[in-house]
């Protein structure tokens, strides 16, 4: 779009942010579910995370007909405007997702098994993360407050308020915590 000097309509920019933040939540749910699976919780937490992710995939299907490989964003905007029945579904999601995140944190964040198996495990230093071109929540878990949405705002990210969660140790536990807080911030962004 920059190269072609293509102007994106304002509504399309908002729709892009909404779909990008939904995708962030979906991605973090998958990461959290598989983390718990690998820690020995077997399938139950993974299924709970996939249950919430499924709600997002249904909304993607409403937007563009695709579920996992979202083809909604296009050069110059989006495939089409969101259908009317998308908005009540989105509203219900952003109003119930914080409660789900609370429930998930209540079961996981201070769980003794999770703490023992994630704290001080797989530590990545800020220097090694940067040297390895690490990005996203893994980079932020090391204490580096780099988020492209803040550093080089695109779409309408400069019009919404959100925090950039960061860790301090760079271990597996910090990566989990950053993702949980990012889900909360994504809900906050979508609500705005």
């Amino acid at each position: 779009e920059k190269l072609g000097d293509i102007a994106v309509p304002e509504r399309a920019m908002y729709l892009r942010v909404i779909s990008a933040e939904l995708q962030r939540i979906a991605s973090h749910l998958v990461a959290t579910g598989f983390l718990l699976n690998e820690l020995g919780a077997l399938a139950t937490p993974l299924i709970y995370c996939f249950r919430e992710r499924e709600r997002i995939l249904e909304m993607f299907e409403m937007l563009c007909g695709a579920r996992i490989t979202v083809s909604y964003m296009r050069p110059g905007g989006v495939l089409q405007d969101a259908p009317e029945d998308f908005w009540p579904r989105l509203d219900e999601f952003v109003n119930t997702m914080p409660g789900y995140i609370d429930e998930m944190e209540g079961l996981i964040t201070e769980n003794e098994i999770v703490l023992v198996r994630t704290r001080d495990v797989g530590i990545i230093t800020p220097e090694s993360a940067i040297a390895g071109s690490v990005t996203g929540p893994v980079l932020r878990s090391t204490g580096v407050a780099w988020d492209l949405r803040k550093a080089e705002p695109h779409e309408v990210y400069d019009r919404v308020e959100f925090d950039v969660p960061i860790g301090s140790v760079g271990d597996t536990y910090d990566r989990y915590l950053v993702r949980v807080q990012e889900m909360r911030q994504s809900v906050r962004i979508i609500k705005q």
Side-chain angles (χ1 to χ4, degrees):
E1 291 168 346
K2 283 182 184 177
L3 185 63
D5 198 27
I6 300 169
V8 178
E10 184 178 50
R11 183 172 179 88
M13 289 191 285
Y14 278 99
L15 287 166
R16 285 176 168 187
V17 167
I18 290 168
S19 61
E21 295 306 316
L22 286 171
Q23 181 56 52
R24 183 182 311 274
I25 296 168
S27 173
H28 290 353
L29 286 168
V30 169
T32 302
F34 278 111
L35 168 68
L36 295 170
N37 199 57
E38 296 302 317
L39 292 177
L42 300 178
T44 303
L46 179 61
I47 291 169
Y48 289 156
C49 288
F50 268 66
R51 177 193 65 196
E52 299 309 310
R53 177 179 173 259
E54 179 64 23
R55 295 168 59 199
I56 295 169
L57 298 184
E58 288 171 356
M59 286 186 281
F60 287 160
E61 192 170 12
M62 295 171 82
L63 289 174
C64 65
R67 293 170 45 84
I68 297 171
T69 310
V70 181
S71 58
Y72 187 54
M73 295 183 208
R74 302 286 175 88
V78 293
L79 170 66
Q80 60 192 7
D81 199 357
E84 286 303 313
D85 55 346
F86 171 80
W87 300 109
R89 184 79 66 92
L90 180 65
D91 190 51
E92 189 269 335
F93 177 81
V94 296
N95 288 322
T96 59
M97 189 62 188
Y100 172 75
I101 297 170
D102 291 342
E103 177 185 43
M104 185 174 68
E105 272 206 286
L107 295 170
I108 300 169
T109 303
E110 297 300 321
N111 181 290
E112 183 179 336
I113 296 169
V114 170
L115 294 173
V116 168
R117 294 181 181 177
T118 60
R119 280 203 172 145
D120 297 323
V121 173
I123 295 174
I124 301 172
T125 65
E127 298 78 20
S128 64
I130 291 168
S133 300
V134 173
T135 63
V138 177
L139 175 63
R140 291 186 284 279
S141 75
T142 69
V144 177
W146 173 260
D147 188 318
L148 194 62
R149 298 169 302 167
K150 289 274 190 184
E152 297 177 25
H154 54 287
E155 307 301 349
V156 293
Y157 281 109
D158 58 345
R159 300 180 198 172
V160 294
E161 293 181 16
F162 65 99
D163 300 317
V164 177
I166 60 168
S168 58
V169 179
D171 58 7
T172 303
Y173 189 68
D174 272 354
R175 289 188 284 280
Y176 156 74
L177 288 176
V178 166
R179 285 186 174 100
V180 168
Q181 292 308 313
E182 284 191 5
M183 285 191 279
R184 291 187 187 284
Q185 293 302 315
S186 290
V187 169
R188 181 180 172 196
I189 289 168
I190 294 168
K191 281 184 175 183
Q192 290 175 65

